[in-house]
C-alpha cells in the first residue's frame, strides 16, 4: 500500500549528533519508493532487523511441538545468526544482529558497539529472564528454556568479543554478506548510474583514503585520470578465510602448525589474486564504457587524422610546387633553346649572306683580273689571283676590286701585283715566326704533330719489361687469393698487382717466370739486398776531419782522387756535360701532353693511379706528376676567375 514516507532498511537515528542519514549497504536499490514492501518476506526481514525471528520448528527436546509456536520473550536461537560465506568451527551467527547493529554493520564504531552490547547484555541476561522461566509449566520446558537463554547470552558475549578485536572484526567484516557482481555492459547515458554504486560498494575495502568519486560528464579529465589511476593501483584490506582452512589451534606439533600456516597462506594468496582480478575487471569495464574516455579517444583520433591530413596536404602542395618549378624550368629552357635556335638561324643566315657576298666579290675579282691574266701583264698568273681570292676577306676583296675598277690595263695589273706581293710578304713573316717557335723547321713540326696525335705512341713499341721480384710475389699472392672459377680472374689479378701488367703478360709469366726455380747460389746476395743497413755512428773527430778534407790516416789526397775516379767510373754520364733535363721540375710540351693523356686514360677510380701515370710520363716521378697536376689545376682556376 502507498504511504507518505518510507523507512529504509539502512535508516537509523542512532548516529553522530543524532542526525539521521542514509548509508549505502549491501542490499540492492530500493524500487518504487512510494510503496512499502509487504508479505512474508518483509515480515521476516523486519523481525530479523529488530532482533526477533519467527521460529519455524523446534529441534531437540521440543521436536513434537507445533511449528506455529513462537518463542516467548522475543529472542531468537543463536543458530539463526549465520554468515553466508564463513563456516565457523561452532554455530554460525550474525554478530551485528545479536548486539542490535544490523542496520550499521561494518560502519558501526567502537563506541556504538560497546553501548549496544551493554543494552543487549542487560536485556538478555539470564537473571533478567526469570519471568520467562516461571511461565513454563513443565520442568523439561523450563530446562530447555533456561539452556536457550544461556546460549543466547553466550552468543552475545561472543559477538562482542569478535567485534571489539580489530583483527577478528576485519576478518568477520571481510566475510560479511557482499555483492561481488560486476556490470559488463551499459548504455552511455546509464554509465554513472550503473558503475557509480558498484565503485562505492567496493570502496569499503580500500586501504587508502580518501577515495575519489567517479564524477559526471563535466568532471575535468585530470580528475577522471586520477580516479582510474587510484583504482588501477587499488589496495584492499579484505581478508579471505577459506572454508577449507586449517585451524591452527588443532595442530599437534610446531611443525604441524607451520605446515597449516603455509597451507592457509597459499589459500589466502589465491583468494587475494582473484579479488584483485575482479577489481581489475571492474575498472577495465568502466574504462571501456566511460563516455569521457571515449570522447577523449575520439578527439585524439581526430587530431591524429587531422595531422595526417595536414601532412599529406603539405606533401601534396610540395609536390605541386616542385612540379610547377619543374614546368617553369622546362618552359624557361625551351624558351632559351628557342631563342638560341633563332639566334643560330640568324647567324647562319648572316654567314650565308656573307658567303654569297664573298663569292660575289671573288667572281668580281676574277672578272677584273681575267684581261690582265690573258695578256700576262706584270707577271700576274691565274694561281696568284686564286690565292688572293681564297686568302683575302670580303672587305679587302671589295677594296681591291674597287681600286682595280678604277684602273685599266697596266695600272690594273700593277694594283693586283702589289696585292700579291703584300700577301706573299705576310706569309713569309708568319713562316719565319713559326720556325723560331718550333726550333727547327719541318722536322720539329712533324714531331710535335705526331706526338699531339698520340703522346703515348713512343712507348707502345717498347720491349717487354722484365718482372721484378715484388711483381712475381704479388702474382703468386693474387693467384692464391683469386682461385680458379673467379669471374674475370686474370683482370682481377692484374688490378691486384697494380703495375699495369696486361692479361697476356700475366699468362706468359705464369708459364715462364713462376716455373723458374730460385738460384741457390744467389741466396746470400738476395739476403744482403733484403737486409736493412745498420745505423752508422760517426764521432765528432771524424766529422771534423772530413769537413776539413783530411783523412784520419793522412791519405786525404789519395782518397779524394780515388773517390773521384770511382765516381767518374760509376757515373760516366755526369762527366759528359750538362743534360737537357738539368731542372727536374721543368716540363716539356711532350711531357705535358703525355701527362694529360695519362690522366684521361687512368681516371680517379683506377687502382694505383699515380704509379701508372708516372710510368706513362717519361723521366718523371709520381711526386713530380702530382705537383704538376696541382699547378695545372691552379692555373686553370686562375684563368677561369679572370675570365
Amino acid at each position: 500500500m502507498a504511504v507518505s514516507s518510507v523507512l529504509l532498511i539502512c535508516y537509523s537515528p542512532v548516529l553522530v549528533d543524532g542526525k539521521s542519514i542514509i548509508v549505502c549497504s549491501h542490499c540492492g536499490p530500493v524500487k518504487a519508493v512510494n510503496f512499502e514492501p509487504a508479505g512474508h518476506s518483509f515480515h521476516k526481514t523486519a523481525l530479523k532487523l529488530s532482533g526477533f525471528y519467527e521460529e519455524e520448528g523446534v529441534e531437540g527436546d521440543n521436536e513434537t511441538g507445533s511449528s506455529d509456536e513462537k518463542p516467548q520473550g522475543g529472542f531468537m536461537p543463536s543458530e539463526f545468526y549465520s554468515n553466508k560465506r564463513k563456516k565457523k568451527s561452532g554455530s554460525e551467527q550474525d554478530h551485528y544482529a545479536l548486539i542490535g547493529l544490523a542496520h550499521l554493520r561494518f560502519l558501526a564504531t567502537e563506541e556504538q558497539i560497546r553501548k549496544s552490547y551493554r543494552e543487549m547484555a542487560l536485556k538478555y541476561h539470564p537473571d533478567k529472564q526469570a519471568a520467562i522461566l516461571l511461565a513454563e509449566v513443565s520442568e523439561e520446558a523450563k530446562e530447555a528454556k533456561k539452556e536457550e537463554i544461556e546460549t543466547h547470552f553466550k552468543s552475545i558475549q561472543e559477538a562482542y568479543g569478535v567485534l571489539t578485536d580489530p583483527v577478528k572484526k576485519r576478518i568477520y567484516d571481510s566475510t560479511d554478506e557482499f555483492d561481488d557482481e560486476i556490470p559488463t555492459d551499459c548504455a552511455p547515458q546509464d554509465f554513472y548510474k550503473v558503475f557509480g554504486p558498484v565503485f562505492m560498494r567496493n570502496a569499503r575495502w580500500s586501504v587508502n583514503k580518501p577515495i575519489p568519486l567517479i564524477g559526471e560528464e563535466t568532471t575535468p579529465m585530470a580528475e577522471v585520470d586520477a580516479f582510474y589511476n587510484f583504482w588501477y593501483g587499488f589496495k584492499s584490506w579484505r581478508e579471505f578465510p577459506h572454508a577449507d582452512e586449517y585451524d591452527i589451534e588443532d595442530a599437534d606439533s610446531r611443525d604441524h602448525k607451520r605446515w597449516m600456516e603455509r597451507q592457509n597462506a597459499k589459500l589466502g594468496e589465491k583468494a587475494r589474486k582473484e579479488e584483485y582480478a575482479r577489481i581489475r575487471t571492474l575498472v577495465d569495464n568502466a574504462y571501456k564504457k566511460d563516455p569521457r574516455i571515449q570522447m577523449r579517444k575520439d578527439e585524439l583520433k581526430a587530431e591524429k587524422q587531422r595531422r595526417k591530413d595536414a601532412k599529406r596536404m603539405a606533401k601534396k602542395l610540395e609536390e605541386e610546387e616542385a612540379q610547377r618549378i619543374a614546368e617553369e624550368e622546362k618552359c624557361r629552357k625551351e624558351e632559351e633553346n628557342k631563342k638560341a635556335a633563332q639566334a643560330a638561324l640568324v647567324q647562319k643566315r648572316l654567314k650565308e649572306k656573307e658567303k654569297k657576298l664573298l663569292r660575289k666579290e671573288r667572281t668580281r675579282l676574277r672578272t677584273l683580273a681575267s684581261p690582265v691574266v690573258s695578256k700576262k701583264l706584270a707577271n700576274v698568273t691565274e694561281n696568284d689571283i686564286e690565292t688572293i681570292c681564297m686568302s683575302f676577306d670580303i672587305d679587302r676583296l671589295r677594296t681591291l676590286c674597287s681600286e682595280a675598277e678604277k684602273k685599266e690595263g697596266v695600272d690594273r695589273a700593277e694594283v693586283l701585283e702589289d696585292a700579291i706581293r703584300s700577301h706573299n710578304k705576310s706569309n713569309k713573316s708568319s713562316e719565319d715566326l713559326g720556325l723560331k717557335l718550333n726550333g727547327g723547321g719541318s722536322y720539329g713540326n712533324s714531331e710535335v704533330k705526331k706526338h699531339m696525335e698520340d703522346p703515348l705512341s713512343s712507348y707502345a713499341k717498347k720491349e717487354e719489361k722484365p718482372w721484378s721480384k715484388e711483381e712475381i710475389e704479388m702474382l703468386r699472392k693474387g693467384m692464391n687469393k683469386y682461385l680458379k672459377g673467379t669471374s674475370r680472374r686474370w683482370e682481377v689479378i692484374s688490378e691486384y698487382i697494380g703495375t699495369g701488367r696486361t692479361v697476356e703478360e700475366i699468362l706468359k709469366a705464369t708459364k715462364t717466370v713462376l716455373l723458374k726455380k730460385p738460384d741457390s747460389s744467389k741466396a746470400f746476395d738476395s739476403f744482403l739486398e733484403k737486409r736493412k743497413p745498420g745505423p752508422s755512428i760517426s764521432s765528432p773527430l771524424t766529422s771534423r776531419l772530413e769537413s776539413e778534407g783530411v783523412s784520419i790516416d793522412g791519405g786525404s789526397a789519395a782518397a779524394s782522387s780515388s773517390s773521384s775516379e770511382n765516381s767518374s767510373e760509376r757515373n760516366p754520364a755526369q762527366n759528359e756535360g750538362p743534360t737537357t733535363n738539368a731542372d727536374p721540375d721543368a716540363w716539356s710540351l711532350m711531357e705535358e701532353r703525355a701527362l694529360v693523356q695519362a690522366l684521361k686514360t687512368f681516371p680517379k677510380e683506377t687502382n694505383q693511379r699515380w704509379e701508372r701515370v708516372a710510368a706513362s710520363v717519361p723521366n718523371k716521378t709520381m711526386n713530380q706528376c702530382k705537383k704538376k697536376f696541382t699547378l695545372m689545376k691552379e692555373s686553370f682556376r686562375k684563368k677561369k676567375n679572370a675570365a
Side-chain angles (χ1 to χ4, degrees):
M1 66 181 174
V3 294
S4 59
S5 62
V6 179
L7 180 64
L8 300 177
I9 296 176
C10 57
Y11 172 84
S12 173
V14 190
L15 289 175
V16 182
D17 299 333
K19 296 181 181 179
S20 59
I21 63 173
I22 297 176
V23 183
C24 179
S25 69
H26 60 276
C27 63
V30 179
K31 297 181 180 180
V33 294
N34 294 329
F35 297 91
E36 182 179 3
H40 296 287
S41 60
F42 171 77
H43 183 59
K44 291 170 66 176
T45 303
L47 287 176
K48 181 178 179 181
L49 295 177
S50 301
F52 298 94
Y53 185 75
E54 182 179 357
E55 188 177 6
E56 296 180 356
V58 180
E59 299 179 357
D61 298 335
N62 199 20
E63 290 180 356
T64 57
S66 175
S67 60
D68 297 334
E69 184 178 356
K70 297 181 180 180
Q72 298 180 5
F75 61 88
M76 294 149 30
S78 60
E79 289 80 2
F80 165 75
Y81 303 100
S82 62
N83 187 5
K84 185 176 182 181
R85 297 189 56 161
K86 178 70 177 175
K87 293 183 180 180
K88 308 291 182 181
S89 58
S91 59
E92 297 180 1
Q93 57 186 13
D94 188 352
H95 297 322
Y96 289 108
L98 284 172
I99 62 176
L101 296 176
H103 57 289
L104 295 178
R105 304 196 75 78
F106 73 95
L107 296 175
T109 62
E110 186 177 355
E111 183 65 26
Q112 292 173 340
I113 292 172
R114 188 178 296 108
K115 181 179 179 181
S116 180
Y117 167 71
R118 290 172 182 173
E119 294 177 357
M120 300 302 291
L122 291 175
K123 182 177 180 180
Y124 294 105
H125 197 276
D127 295 341
K128 299 291 184 178
Q129 303 294 328
I132 299 176
L133 293 176
L134 295 176
E136 298 293 336
V137 179
S138 61
E139 293 294 332
E140 295 178 356
K142 289 181 179 181
E143 290 294 332
K145 184 59 69 177
K146 181 180 180 180
E147 183 179 358
E148 188 176 352
I149 292 172
E150 291 177 354
T151 304
H152 185 263
F153 185 72
K154 290 179 181 179
S155 300
I156 294 174
Q157 290 179 332
E158 182 183 355
Y160 179 73
V162 170
L163 296 179
T164 52
D165 188 346
V167 178
K168 293 181 179 180
K169 184 176 184 297
R170 184 174 64 181
I171 295 174
Y172 180 76
D173 290 340
S174 298
T175 58
D176 198 5
E177 293 182 0
F178 183 75
D179 184 10
D180 290 335
E181 293 294 330
I182 295 175
T184 57
D185 195 6
C186 68
Q189 62 272 14
D190 297 335
F191 172 77
Y192 305 100
K193 296 180 182 178
V194 174
F195 283 92
V198 179
F199 280 104
M200 290 297 298
R201 185 167 66 243
N202 286 274
R204 62 181 288 186
W205 311 118
S206 177
V207 174
N208 301 323
K209 303 291 182 179
I211 301 169
L213 301 177
I214 194 171
E216 54 187 9
E217 293 183 0
T218 58
T219 303
M221 290 306 299
E223 297 182 7
V224 176
D225 293 335
F227 171 80
Y228 284 105
N229 291 335
F230 174 84
W231 281 98
Y232 274 119
F234 183 78
K235 293 183 179 180
S236 175
W237 56 263
R238 189 177 184 182
E239 298 290 340
F240 300 94
H242 201 269
D244 297 333
E245 286 183 357
Y246 296 93
D247 191 356
I248 299 176
E249 298 177 358
D250 297 339
D252 297 335
S253 62
R254 183 181 299 174
D255 294 337
H256 191 198
K257 180 180 179 181
R258 291 177 179 174
W259 181 82
M260 288 182 176
E261 289 176 352
R262 288 195 297 270
Q263 298 300 321
N264 293 341
K266 290 180 182 179
L267 295 173
E269 184 65 24
K270 182 179 179 181
R272 276 190 291 274
K273 289 182 179 179
E274 293 177 355
E275 174 66 10
Y276 280 115
R278 186 184 68 84
I279 296 295
R280 184 60 180 258
T281 304
L282 170 63
V283 182
D284 289 341
N285 293 343
Y287 194 84
K288 292 178 182 178
K289 299 298 179 181
D290 196 335
R292 299 166 298 185
I293 301 297
Q294 294 294 332
M295 187 182 300
R296 182 170 65 179
K297 288 183 178 179
D298 294 340
E299 291 177 357
L300 292 176
K301 187 176 180 180
E303 179 67 18
K304 186 177 179 180
Q305 185 65 28
R306 186 185 64 79
R307 291 179 181 177
K308 188 176 180 180
D309 295 340
K311 187 176 181 181
R312 185 171 61 252
M313 184 61 66
K315 186 177 180 181
K316 184 178 179 181
L317 292 175
E318 185 178 356
E319 292 177 354
E320 291 178 354
E321 182 68 16
Q323 185 177 1
R324 184 185 63 80
I325 293 173
E327 291 178 356
E328 291 180 356
E329 185 68 17
K330 184 179 178 181
C331 294
R332 185 181 63 81
K333 288 184 178 180
E334 290 179 355
E335 188 69 21
E336 290 179 356
N337 294 334
K338 187 176 180 180
K339 290 181 180 179
Q342 291 178 356
L345 182 61
V346 172
Q347 192 70 17
K348 183 178 179 181
R349 290 177 180 175
L350 289 176
K351 288 182 179 181
E352 291 178 354
K353 186 176 181 181
E354 289 178 358
K355 288 180 180 180
K356 289 181 180 179
L357 294 175
L358 184 60
R359 287 196 296 269
K360 183 178 179 181
E361 293 298 331
R362 288 173 180 173
T363 305
R364 181 182 174 190
L365 180 61
R366 293 188 186 100
T367 304
L368 293 173
S370 58
V372 177
V373 173
S374 61
K375 295 179 181 180
K376 297 181 180 180
L377 299 177
N379 297 326
V380 177
T381 62
E382 188 176 356
N383 294 333
D384 295 335
I385 299 300
E386 290 297 327
T387 303
I388 293 174
C389 291
M390 301 307 296
S391 300
F392 282 16
D393 57 1
I394 186 171
D395 295 331
R396 294 182 66 182
L397 287 174
R398 185 180 291 113
T399 304
L400 181 60
C401 291
S402 299
E403 292 179 358
E405 285 180 350
K406 296 178 182 178
K407 305 293 182 180
E408 293 292 341
V410 178
D411 295 335
R412 182 180 297 179
E414 291 178 355
V415 171
L416 295 176
E417 186 179 5
D418 293 338
I420 294 169
R421 191 181 299 111
S422 63
H423 175 67
N424 294 334
K425 189 176 181 180
S426 63
N427 286 342
K428 185 176 181 181
S429 62
S430 63
E431 288 178 0
D432 295 339
L433 181 61
L435 290 174
K436 290 181 180 179
L437 292 175
N438 296 331
S442 60
Y443 176 77
N445 292 334
S446 62
E447 289 293 329
V448 172
K449 185 176 181 181
K450 180 180 179 182
H451 183 74
M452 290 177 65
E453 292 176 355
D454 189 3
L456 297 181
S457 60
S458 58
Y459 306 101
K461 298 181 180 180
K462 279 187 177 181
E463 295 182 358
E464 184 178 354
K465 189 171 65 172
W467 285 75
S468 63
K469 295 181 180 180
E470 292 79 5
E471 289 179 332
I472 295 172
E473 189 66 25
M474 291 294 291
L475 178 59
R476 279 201 185 90
K477 291 181 180 180
M479 293 182 67
N480 293 332
K481 185 175 181 180
Y482 303 103
L483 302 176
K484 294 180 180 180
T486 306
S487 179
R488 298 171 56 84
R489 183 191 182 197
W490 300 110
E491 288 82 353
V492 174
I493 292 175
S494 175
E495 293 182 1
Y496 178 76
I497 295 173
T499 57
R501 293 287 183 178
T502 62
V503 176
E504 291 77 8
E505 292 176 343
I506 294 173
L507 290 174
K508 186 176 180 181
T510 55
K511 299 177 182 179
T512 57
V513 178
L514 293 181
L515 296 178
K516 289 182 180 180
K517 295 183 179 180
D519 190 0
S520 59
S521 61
K522 297 182 180 180
F524 186 72
D525 296 337
S526 62
F527 167 72
L528 292 177
E529 290 178 0
K530 293 181 180 179
R531 186 178 63 174
K532 295 182 179 178
S536 60
I537 302 174
S538 60
S539 65
L541 180 60
T542 306
S543 60
R544 182 174 62 82
L545 293 174
E546 289 177 355
S547 64
E548 292 176 358
V550 179
S551 63
I552 298 173
D553 54 357
S556 60
S560 60
S561 62
S562 62
S563 62
S564 61
E565 290 176 359
N566 294 333
S567 61
S568 62
E569 290 177 359
R570 293 193 205 99
N571 301 322
Q574 295 179 1
N575 299 326
E576 293 177 359
T579 59
T580 56
N581 293 332
D583 188 4
D585 293 333
W587 286 72
S588 64
L589 180 61
M590 295 175 62
E591 291 172 347
E592 289 182 0
R593 295 289 183 181
L595 176 61
V596 173
Q597 186 64 28
L599 291 173
K600 293 179 181 179
T601 306
F602 305 110
K604 292 182 179 180
E605 297 79 11
T606 307
N607 188 17
Q608 296 182 351
R609 182 194 185 194
W610 287 106
E611 288 80 353
R612 299 185 180 186
V613 170
S616 302
V617 180
N619 303 326
K620 296 298 178 181
T621 62
M622 181 176 67
N623 293 331
Q624 290 176 343
C625 292
K626 288 183 178 180
K627 187 176 179 180
K628 183 62 177 177
F629 178 66
T630 306
L631 293 175
M632 291 171 67
K633 285 199 302 183
E634 292 178 357
S635 176
F636 177 75
R637 289 173 182 171
K638 289 180 180 179
K639 290 180 179 179
K640 186 176 181 181
N641 294 333

